[in-house]
Amino acid sequence: KPSSTIPVLVSEAKTRKLFIDVLLKEAGWDNLIEGRDLEYEVSGMPKSTNPTGIGYVDYVLWGKDGKPLAVIEAKSTLKDPATGKQQAILYADCLEVKFKRRPVIFYSNGFETYLWDDAFYPPRRVQGFYTQDELELLLQRRTQRKDLRGFTPNPNIAGWYYQKEAIQHLAENFCTEKNGKLRGTNREALLVMATGSGKTRTAAAIVEMLAKSNWVKRVLFLADRNALVTQAKRAFNEHLH
């Protein structure tokens, strides 16, 4: 029988202990050290926030190179996690000045967690925190991604004009340019194609574009019948190497 119990609203300290610390542990972030991983001191905060210019980041997740990968701003379950967004930006600014690398931003109230790589993507809700390897890859992709809009699909895979046009529109849906820098926009797209128009070939060409442009590492292909998956697997093996 489904539970109708309303989640208990707790303080920020209890939110961190009961929810955020647990989510971090699931992602491999355990044995967090006070003063380094927790309540990390930063300087350079706006005087309007603190006359001393000193601030304390709730959580800092560090990379193998000793530089910050992410900051986490925790809020009580009583509050909307977005109330910590501006504070997290200020902490990221301070860390970027000190370490010459901008960390990814998380803000969470224990029940809702948002990821914001503000050097590339808008904020989005996620199910939990990233592992160290996942964060490392996320930061690497900031500079390794290529502009999808300049990619030329392989005509041997998807050579019909409408296939190439569909791929081009998808590329334009995924990214744009802002202040001379590549930026991600949407993370979803829907192509509707008629039977016999080459959906599988178009999908294969899209996967090739995303992989060669360093946007994806692995791709999950779903279909509503096993026969379609088998057919697609043969096509992908034939055209993608």
Side-chain angles (χ1 to χ4, degrees), residues 161-173:
Y161 73 91
Y162 56 83
Q163 294 171 335
K164 292 187 286 186
E165 186 173 336
I167 296 167
Q168 180 62 34
H169 281 304
L170 185 140
E172 293 169 356
N173 179 68

Side-chain angles (χ1 to χ4, degrees), residues 20-40:
I20 296 179
D21 286 359
V22 173
L23 290 172
L24 283 169
K25 190 171 183 179
E26 289 176 353
W29 301 99
D30 50 8
N31 300 319
L32 301 178
I33 301 171
E34 191 78 25
R36 182 179 187 276
D37 309 300
L38 307 171
E39 299 297 333
Y40 181 78

Side-chain angles (χ1 to χ4, degrees), residues 56 83 113 131 168 208 231:
Y56 295 89
T83 58
T113 299
T131 66
Q168 180 62 34
E208 182 185 54
Q231 173 189 331

Side-chain angles (χ1 to χ4, degrees), residues 175-241:
C175 63
T176 189
E177 189 174 294
K178 186 176 182 180
N179 298 325
K181 294 184 179 180
L182 183 66
R183 290 290 185 266
T185 50
N186 300 298
R187 296 176 58 87
E188 298 178 352
L190 174 65
L191 293 180
V192 181
M193 301 176 66
T195 300
S197 57
K199 294 187 290 294
T200 301
R201 281 176 171 266
T202 303
I206 290 170
V207 169
E208 182 185 54
M209 174 181 70
L210 294 172
K212 287 190 173 181
S213 300
N214 296 320
W215 282 66
V216 300
K217 187 176 181 180
R218 291 179 295 271
V219 174
L220 175 63
F221 187 96
L222 299 176
D224 60 354
R225 297 199 307 275
N226 289 337
L228 294 178
V229 174
T230 302
Q231 173 189 331
K233 184 177 180 181
R234 285 198 299 266
F236 273 60
N237 288 337
E238 178 184 351
H239 298 299
L240 300 182
H241 305 287

Side-chain angles (χ1 to χ4, degrees), residues 85-155:
K85 185 177 178 180
Q86 185 58 36
Q87 189 78 0
I89 293 173
L90 298 177
Y91 291 145
D93 290 343
C94 294
L95 289 167
E96 183 178 12
V97 169
K98 182 175 181 179
F99 293 97
K100 312 304 179 187
R101 182 171 74 192
R102 187 165 190 80
V104 173
I105 292 170
F106 289 96
Y107 45 95
S108 175
N109 67 358
F111 293 119
E112 294 182 2
T113 299
Y114 289 83
L115 163 66
W116 188 18
D117 180 9
D118 64 350
F120 195 81
Y121 265 131
R124 62 189 177 95
R125 188 173 175 180
V126 292
Q127 293 301 310
F129 299 105
Y130 282 26
T131 66
Q132 186 181 62
D133 288 343
E134 288 169 338
L135 288 171
E136 297 271 11
L137 179 60
L138 191 63
L139 266 61
Q140 288 171 13
R141 283 182 174 163
R142 286 178 177 171
T143 56
Q144 292 178 352
R145 282 189 184 97
K146 299 176 184 177
D147 193 336
L148 298 174
R149 298 169 300 172
F151 186 86
T152 302
N154 185 339

